[in-house]
């Protein structure tokens, strides 16, 4: 039987198919009989195959369709194919579910999907094949991010050139606006939106984002279209006999100066302008530019800068809520953009190189971060800092922020840390980046301080986040450069240009030489701040008195959290597993008033306590370096914290003030109670026999035993009082069993005064409540079971238990009397 070979992309799957099998495919039949072809026959066949055939076979068939059919036929199936892969925009259809597809779980499906969607794979060949014929596809405006959708619906064109000349008015009687996108744009729109349009993964499904097909595809697309070495690969061959021409971008070339430095939205009403032929040199990077703009718009542009500037409140209501997976993908984008921008050679990155002829890719590398990303990322981070839950999942947002703040980590000349593990000094060459991103460092740091003051720092995960931020900002020379940027912003100015004119040059074309360098560093910093915060913003210096007060409060809470962790550690040492077991058996104290609140330290044990103390200790040291706190100030914080214990060895009361009606909690006191750092001593003050029935007790048995003991106490009250009043050993023995313990050591309910009160005198009583406990009954059953193994019957076993208890009671009576003699 003769065979034909499939393309190399399917090397991980079956390579060979019988020619007879291929000739039987429905589209082969239509090609052999052109008069039988129908416009939707190929699409109908593929839809039927998507239900009846396995995944591997469907992908193999799609490869042949892409290779054999002309663009005219492929145009009809392209929208359906994209939706079947990435899912529907309303999230109903999940498509190939790339966000959950992992190589270690489904290796065959994973390898097939990754090779089919690879930048050099069959799907991208289909995109370029359609691109060469200048097809376009309608994309609904209603599925775009909120600010973009609102702007277009108000007949205002968004600032991003991604939407220019693409808005299509609905036909008469039609519903909704659409964007006319070329195949590459349409594919990337769907790919980017599938991250946020699909429903979040269920909590029960433990999927590591970095192992998923979607995350790895994002990395591959970034590496292919935003290369750190070499140039962008040309479009792939659409047929074995030749290559498709490199399609020109269907939008006019836009100057870099219009990519988001200004914030005013000009009332540019939507109109269908004639497409302008771009310079042929722009073909080199138009796909790279489109990819970056699509990712930024779909992933970051969910919050309006204008609304943010007007409200300036972390409680501003926004409909979109990012997920942890979304944030991790954005972090991947930022890390690659830093590597992409830093891949410029030193002679190309210098300001003097701007005036020389450079390639479009080099110009694009300089403009990628400041012109495409900065503004939308800042508003996105502000929303996350203000709205993200106060739990450990904020770590994803934190690491995304810290990745953006450290472009030097992704520079090719990155140096390893020294043998002493000391962080390397931040070079002065990064001063301009820090100044042009000043708010990313200062205002977001203040936002993090406000979050940290509301979290439980005893938790090792929260302590780690404080440690990470402090460590990054404590890098040598970083603090000095941030201070220099603040000084440049706070310098007095003679004339502040209006924000609409806060552009250095705005009339050059996309490929024209780089605009002249602005030498006024102060003007550049002010432009950055005013463009993001508005002309009337009130800037709070990071090294001013207000922020320093917040840092001192954080240092105080760190010290207090360390003491709480140490107290929990001491409790572990004083209550080892053996003692806990004895306590459960009934031979130890069962005081529930001394327990600490639930905390992840209780779940993870001593090692987590050690990590928490280590993180907090280093974080405190880094904060001392950043803000130049003296040892005397830290010592004063420790004293003000009230670290000393009271006379009973208990933890001190929460921070409060004495009012007319008693104690009033301060905000610090409420924080201490919520996070379990301090608490009031709450003790049961009533009759111990009348305590609520516990979960480890049998309800009916406890009530029956209470009625029995009450009857005995009423019947023999006089005899028990006479026995307990004796001064001999029998009297001591009876007092040990019949007298209610600690009846005279009760305190007032209010912590003010701490004076003792005398309870009404209660005579000696017999308590049988201990027999209603599950553990007591279990111990008795275990004792009878062990006795039966030695051929001891129930009655002799009961006598032995009574005898054993009498011996134990005699020993405890002697020890109790000896202790009283020592106290005298």
């Amino acid at each position: 039987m003769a065979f034909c070979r499939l393309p190399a992309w399917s090397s991980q799957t079956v390579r060979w198919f019988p020619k007879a099998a291929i000739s039987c495919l429905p589209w082969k039949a239509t090609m052999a009989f052109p008069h039988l072809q129908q416009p939707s026959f190929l699409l109908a066949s593929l839809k039927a195959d998507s239900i009846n055939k396995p995944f591997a076979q469907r992908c193999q068939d799609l490869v042949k369709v892409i290779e054999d059919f002309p663009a005219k036929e492929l145009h009809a199936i392209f929208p359906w194919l994209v939706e079947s892969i990435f899912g529907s925009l309303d999230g109903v259809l999940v498509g190939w579910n790339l966000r959950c597809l992992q190589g270690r779980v489904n290796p065959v499906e994973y390898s097939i999907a990754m090779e089919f969607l690879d930048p050099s794979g069959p799907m991208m060949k289909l995109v370029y094949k359609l691109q060469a014929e200048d097809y376009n596809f309608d994309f609904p405006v209603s599925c775009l991010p909120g600010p973009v959708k609102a702007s277009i619906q108000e007949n205002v064109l968004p600032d991003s050139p991604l939407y220019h000349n693409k808005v299509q008015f609905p036909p008469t009687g039609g519903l909704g606006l659409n964007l006319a996108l070329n195949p590459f744009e349409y594919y990337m729109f769907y790919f980017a939106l599938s991250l946020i349009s699909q429903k979040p993964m269920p909590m029960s499904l433990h999927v590591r984002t970095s192992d998923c097909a979607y995350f790895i595809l994002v990395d591959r697309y970034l590496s292919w279209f935003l290369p750190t070495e070499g140039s962008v690969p040309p479009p792939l061959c659409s047929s074995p006999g030749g290559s498709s021409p490199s399609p020109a971008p269907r939008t006019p070339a836009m100057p870099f100066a219009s990519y988001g430095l200004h914030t005013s939205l000009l009332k540019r009403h939507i109109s269908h302008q004639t497409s302008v032929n771009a310079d042929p040199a722009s073909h080199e990077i138009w796909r790279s530019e489109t990819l970056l703009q699509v990712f930024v718009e779909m992933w970051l542009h969910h919050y309006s800068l204008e609304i943010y500037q007007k409200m300036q409140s972390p409680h501003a209501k926004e409909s979109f809520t990012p997920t942890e997976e979304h944030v991790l993908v954005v972090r991947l984008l930022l890390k690659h953009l830093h590597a992409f921008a830093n891949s410029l050679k030193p002679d190309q990155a210098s300001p003097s190189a701007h005036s020389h002829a450079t390639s479009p890719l080099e110009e694009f590398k300089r403009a990628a971060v400041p012109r495409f990303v900065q503004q939308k990322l800042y508003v996105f981070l502000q929303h996350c800092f203000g709205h993200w839950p106060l739990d450990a999942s904020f770590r994803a947002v934190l690491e995304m922020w810290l990745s953006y703040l450290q472009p030097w980590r992704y520079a090719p000349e990155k140096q390893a840390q020294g043998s002493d593990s000391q962080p390397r000094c931040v070079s002065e060459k990064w001063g301009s980046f820090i100044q042009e991103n000043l708010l990313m460092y200062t205002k977001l740091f203040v936002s993090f301080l406000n979050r940290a003051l509301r979290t439980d720092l005893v938790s090792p995960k929260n302590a780690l986040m404080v440690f990470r931020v402090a460590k990054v900002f404590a890098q040598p020379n970083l603090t000095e450069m941030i201070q220099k940027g603040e000084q440049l912003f706070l310098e007095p100015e003679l004339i502040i240009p209006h924000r609409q004119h806060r552009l250095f040059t705005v009339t050059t074309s996309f490929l024209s030489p780089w605009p002249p360098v602005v030498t006024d560093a102060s003007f550049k910093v002010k432009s950055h701040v005013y463009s993001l915060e508005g002309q009337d913003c009130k800037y709070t210096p990071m090294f001013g008195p207000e922020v320093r007060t917040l840092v001192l409060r954080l240092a105080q809470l760190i010290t207090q959290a360390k003491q709480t962790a140490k107290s929990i550690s001491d409790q572990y040492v004083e209550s080892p597993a053996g003692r806990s077991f004895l306590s459960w058996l009934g031979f130890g104290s069962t005081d529930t008033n001394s327990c600490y609140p639930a905390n992840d330290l209780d779940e993870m044990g001593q090692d987590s306590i050690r990590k928490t103390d280590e993180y907090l200790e280093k974080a405190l040291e880094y904060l001392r370096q950043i803000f130049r706190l003296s040892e005397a100030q830290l010592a004063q914080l420790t004293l003000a914290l009230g670290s000393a214990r009271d006379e009973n060895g208990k933890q001190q009361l929460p921070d409060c003030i004495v009012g007319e009606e008693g104690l009033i909690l301060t905000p610090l006191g409420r924080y201490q109670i919520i996070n379990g750092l301090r608490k009031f001593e709450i003790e049961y003050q009533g009759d111990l026999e009348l305590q609520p029935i516990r979960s480890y007790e049998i309800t009916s048995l406890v009530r029956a035993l209470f009625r029995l003991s009450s009857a005995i106490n009423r019947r023999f009250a006089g005899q028990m009082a006479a026995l307990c009043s004796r001064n001999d050993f029998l009297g001591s023995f009876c007092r040990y069993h019949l007298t209610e313990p600690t009846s005279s050591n009760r305190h007032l309910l209010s912590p003010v005064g701490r004076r003792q009160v005398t309870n009404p005198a209660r005579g000696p009583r017999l308590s049988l409540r201990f027999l209603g406990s599950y553990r007591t009954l279990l111990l008795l059953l275990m004792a009878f079971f062990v006795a039966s193994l030695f051929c001891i019957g129930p009655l002799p076993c009961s006598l032995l238990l009574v005898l054993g208890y009498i011996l134990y009671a005699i020993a405890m009576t002697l020890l109790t009397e000896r202790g009283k003699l020592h106290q005298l």
Side-chain angles (χ1 to χ4, degrees):
M1 182 181 292
F3 291 83
C4 66
R5 187 174 181 176
L6 284 179
W9 79 273
S10 58
S11 59
Q12 300 296 325
T13 60
V14 182
R15 288 178 174 269
W16 305 95
F17 287 85
K19 286 186 176 179
I22 294 180
S23 63
C24 293
L25 294 176
W27 48 82
K28 278 291 182 180
T30 59
M31 294 183 68
F33 304 92
H35 61 280
L36 299 179
Q37 291 189 24
Q38 299 296 328
S40 60
F41 183 76
L42 176 60
L43 178 59
S45 300
L46 292 176
K47 287 183 177 180
D49 290 345
S50 66
I51 300 175
N52 301 321
K53 291 186 177 181
F55 180 73
Q57 183 64 45
R58 297 202 310 266
C59 291
Q60 292 162 4
D61 294 346
L62 285 171
V63 173
K64 286 299 299 177
V65 169
I66 294 172
E67 289 289 338
D68 294 345
F69 276 76
K72 182 178 180 181
E73 300 292 335
L74 297 175
H75 168 261
I77 71 168
F78 184 68
W80 168 83
L81 180 58
V82 171
E83 184 178 65
S84 67
I85 294 174
F86 301 123
S88 57
L89 296 174
D90 56 7
V92 175
L93 302 178
V94 297
W96 289 4
N97 202 11
L98 299 174
R99 295 164 54 235
C100 297
L101 185 60
Q102 301 182 81
R104 59 182 176 84
V105 180
N106 306 103
V108 176
E109 291 83 355
Y110 174 85
S111 62
I112 293 175
M114 293 301 293
E115 292 182 41
F116 188 80
L117 300 176
D118 189 81
S120 59
M123 189 65 189
M124 201 57 68
K125 289 182 181 179
L126 171 61
V127 170
Y128 294 141
K129 199 171 186 177
L130 297 174
Q131 189 82 25
E133 301 296 332
D134 199 26
Y135 284 110
N136 60 72
F137 303 89
D138 288 340
F139 188 91
V141 171
S142 59
C143 296
L144 295 175
V148 178
K149 176 175 63 178
S151 178
I152 294 177
Q153 290 175 347
E154 293 174 1
N155 291 340
V156 179
L157 193 63
D159 281 341
S160 174
L162 185 66
Y163 307 104
H164 292 183
N165 306 318
K166 293 184 175 65
V167 179
Q168 303 288 332
F169 287 105
T172 304
L175 299 176
L177 296 169
N178 292 307
L179 297 180
L181 304 179
N182 65 40
F184 185 82
E185 293 168 338
Y186 188 84
Y187 177 83
M188 287 302 169
F189 266 66
Y190 257 91
F191 175 74
L193 276 175
S194 65
L195 175 64
I196 57 180
S197 62
Q198 300 298 315
K199 297 178 181 179
M201 291 179 290
M203 297 297 294
S204 58
L205 185 62
H206 300 286
V207 178
R208 186 177 179 182
T209 301
S210 58
D211 293 337
C212 296
Y214 187 88
F215 188 89
I216 297 175
L217 275 176
V218 171
D219 186 53
R220 290 188 183 182
Y221 288 156
L222 290 173
S223 301
W224 184 275
F225 294 107
L226 303 176
T228 56
E229 296 181 0
S231 59
V232 182
L236 305 171
C237 296
S238 60
S239 63
S243 60
S244 63
S246 177
R250 297 188 305 104
T251 57
M254 299 299 299
F256 275 131
S258 65
Y259 288 159
L261 275 184
H262 57 89
T263 60
S264 60
L265 277 177
L266 302 178
K267 291 291 183 178
R268 295 168 293 180
H269 291 275
I270 299 174
S271 62
H272 298 288
Q273 303 173 6
T274 304
S275 178
V276 180
N277 292 327
D279 192 310
S282 66
H283 297 175
E284 178 183 352
I285 65 163
W286 80 266
R287 288 171 297 150
S288 305
E289 179 188 351
T290 300
L291 175 88
L292 179 57
Q293 289 188 81
V294 170
F295 284 179
V296 171
E297 286 293 314
M298 301 302 114
W299 294 343
L300 295 179
H301 196 187
H302 292 274
Y303 312 106
S304 169
L305 178 65
E306 284 68 33
I307 295 178
Y308 164 74
Q309 290 178 349
K310 290 177 182 178
M311 304 189 73
Q312 288 290 309
S313 171
H315 304 291
K317 299 298 181 182
E318 297 281 357
S319 59
F320 180 77
T321 302
T323 62
E324 187 174 353
E325 178 192 14
H326 179 185
V327 171
L328 291 174
V329 174
V330 172
R331 185 192 179 207
L332 175 65
L333 170 66
L334 297 179
K335 291 167 64 176
H336 188 87
L337 283 177
H338 277 321
F340 176 68
N342 293 333
S343 63
L344 282 171
K345 298 179 181 179
D347 56 338
Q348 298 170 344
S350 60
S352 59
H354 296 173
S355 58
H356 301 289
T358 56
S359 69
L361 183 60
E362 293 167 1
E363 295 281 355
F364 181 56
K365 287 182 179 180
R366 294 192 187 96
V369 174
R371 308 300 173 93
F372 289 95
V373 179
Q374 185 195 74
Q375 181 189 94
K376 295 179 177 64
L377 176 63
Y378 176 73
V379 180
F380 182 83
L381 283 172
Q382 280 283 21
H383 184 274
C384 289
F385 273 66
H387 293 76
W388 201 276
L390 292 172
D391 56 22
S393 66
F394 185 72
R395 174 79 186 277
V397 178
L398 188 79
E399 294 298 337
M400 175 182 65
W401 173 49
L402 296 180
S403 294
Y404 183 80
L405 297 186
Q406 303 176 86
W408 47 86
R409 291 184 57 192
Y410 313 101
E413 69 275 7
K414 177 177 63 175
Q415 299 176 356
Q417 293 186 354
S419 58
D420 56 353
S421 299
Q422 293 296 325
R424 64 183 183 276
C425 181
V426 180
S427 173
E428 289 289 340
K429 63 175 286 188
W430 302 106
S432 59
F433 177 87
I434 294 172
Q435 294 169 12
E436 294 170 5
N437 292 272
L438 183 64
L439 292 175
M440 293 284 194
Y441 291 88
T442 59
K443 187 160 185 178
L444 290 179
F445 180 82
V446 176
S447 299
F448 174 76
L449 285 180
N450 290 322
R451 283 187 62 92
L453 291 172
R454 293 179 290 153
T455 55
D456 178 13
L457 299 184
V458 182
S459 166
K461 296 177 181 179
N462 292 334
L464 175 60
M465 287 191 281
V466 175
F467 162 73
R468 288 282 296 122
V469 173
K471 181 181 180 181
V472 168
F473 278 84
Q475 294 177 85
N477 200 37
L478 177 59
T479 300
E480 289 75 9
M481 286 192 285
I482 295 176
Q483 283 183 302
K484 182 178 179 180
E486 287 195 325
Q487 292 171 359
L488 290 172
F489 174 74
L490 297 175
E491 282 183 1
E493 53 187 344
L494 298 177
I495 299 177
I496 302 179
H498 194 268
R499 284 173 53 203
Q500 289 185 354
H501 306 290
R502 201 173 296 277
L503 300 175
F504 311 130
T505 54
V506 298
T507 57
T508 57
S509 67
F510 181 84
L511 298 171
S512 63
W514 190 261
V517 179
V518 177
T519 57
D520 185 2
S522 175
F523 176 75
K524 293 174 66 175
V525 176
K526 295 177 193 292
S527 299
H528 156 70
V529 175
Y530 292 143
S531 65
L532 295 179
E533 291 292 326
Q535 193 78 2
D536 302 324
C537 70
K538 181 182 178 182
Y539 181 78
T540 303
M542 177 176 168
F543 298 94
E546 296 181 21
V547 178
R548 192 177 183 85
T549 301
L550 293 178
V551 172
L552 290 175
R553 284 183 56 195
L554 179 61
Q556 186 180 28
L557 291 179
I558 289 175
T559 305
Q560 189 169 18
K562 287 179 59 181
Q563 293 177 355
T564 303
K566 185 177 183 302
S567 300
I568 298 176
S569 178
D570 294 341
Q571 188 181 36
Y572 274 110
V573 174
E574 296 172 1
S575 303
R579 182 173 299 181
S580 298
F581 180 70
L582 291 176
S583 176
W584 187 87
L585 294 178
F587 297 111
S589 172
T590 57
D591 180 18
T592 58
N593 293 323
S594 61
C595 295
Y596 284 90
N599 189 288
D600 57 354
L601 290 175
D602 300 328
E603 301 174 1
M604 303 180 68
Q606 191 74 16
D607 185 59
S608 292
I609 298 175
R610 180 187 56 79
K611 288 182 179 180
T612 298
D613 187 72
E614 179 181 347
Y615 291 146
L616 294 178
E617 181 69 29
K618 291 183 178 179
L620 195 60
E621 174 61 23
Y622 287 138
L623 289 175
R624 187 188 66 81
Q625 296 175 12
I626 297 170
F627 294 93
R628 298 177 177 86
L629 302 177
S630 64
E631 296 290 346
Q633 286 177 305
L634 296 180
Q636 184 178 4
L637 286 177
T638 304
L639 293 176
L641 192 62
S643 60
R645 302 298 182 101
D646 62 11
E647 67 277 3
N648 293 324
K650 299 289 185 179
Q651 198 176 25
Q652 281 203 330
L653 298 178
D655 189 69
C656 52
I657 58 176
V658 180
E660 296 180 357
E661 299 181 357
L663 295 181
I664 301 175
L665 282 173
T666 64
L668 175 60
R670 286 192 291 271
Y671 168 85
Q672 292 166 341
I673 290 180
I674 292 173
N675 294 282
L677 301 178
R678 290 188 180 184
K679 62 178 182 177
F680 291 105
E681 295 179 21
I682 301 176
E683 298 180 0
Y684 184 76
Q685 299 287 325
D687 188 349
L688 296 180
E689 286 294 296
L690 299 178
Q691 290 185 80
I693 297 176
R694 311 300 174 121
S695 60
Y696 54 81
E697 293 177 321
I698 303 174
T699 303
S700 58
L701 185 56
V702 168
R703 289 172 178 167
L705 290 172
F706 174 74
R707 288 192 292 268
L708 177 60
S709 59
S710 298
I712 295 174
N713 291 330
R714 287 193 300 268
R715 177 68 179 80
F716 301 101
Q719 291 85 335
M720 288 190 291
L723 288 174
C724 290
S725 62
R726 295 170 61 122
N727 294 325
D728 53 6
F729 177 79
L730 181 59
S732 300
F733 186 84
C734 293
R735 283 193 296 271
Y736 177 78
H737 289 85
L738 300 178
T739 303
E740 182 181 5
T742 65
S743 60
S744 61
N745 292 328
R746 302 295 171 135
H747 296 284
L748 282 175
L749 293 178
S750 173
V752 182
R754 311 297 294 173
R755 56 187 177 87
Q756 295 181 346
V757 295
T758 57
N759 290 330
R762 298 188 183 101
R765 296 186 303 169
L766 175 66
S767 176
L768 300 177
R769 181 165 177 166
F770 72 97
L771 294 175
S773 171
Y774 284 109
R775 63 183 179 186
T776 302
L777 298 178
L778 180 60
L779 287 172
L780 291 175
L781 289 176
M782 290 175 60
F784 285 116
F785 175 75
V786 173
S788 66
L789 297 178
F790 295 94
C791 299
I792 301 176
L795 183 58
C797 180
S798 301
L799 294 177
L800 289 175
L801 289 176
V802 172
L803 179 61
Y805 178 77
I806 291 174
L807 294 176
Y808 169 77
I810 291 174
M812 294 302 298
T813 301
L814 293 175
L815 293 175
T816 303
E817 291 298 319
R818 182 175 298 180
K820 292 181 178 179
L821 291 175
H822 283 294
Q823 292 178 1
L824 295 176

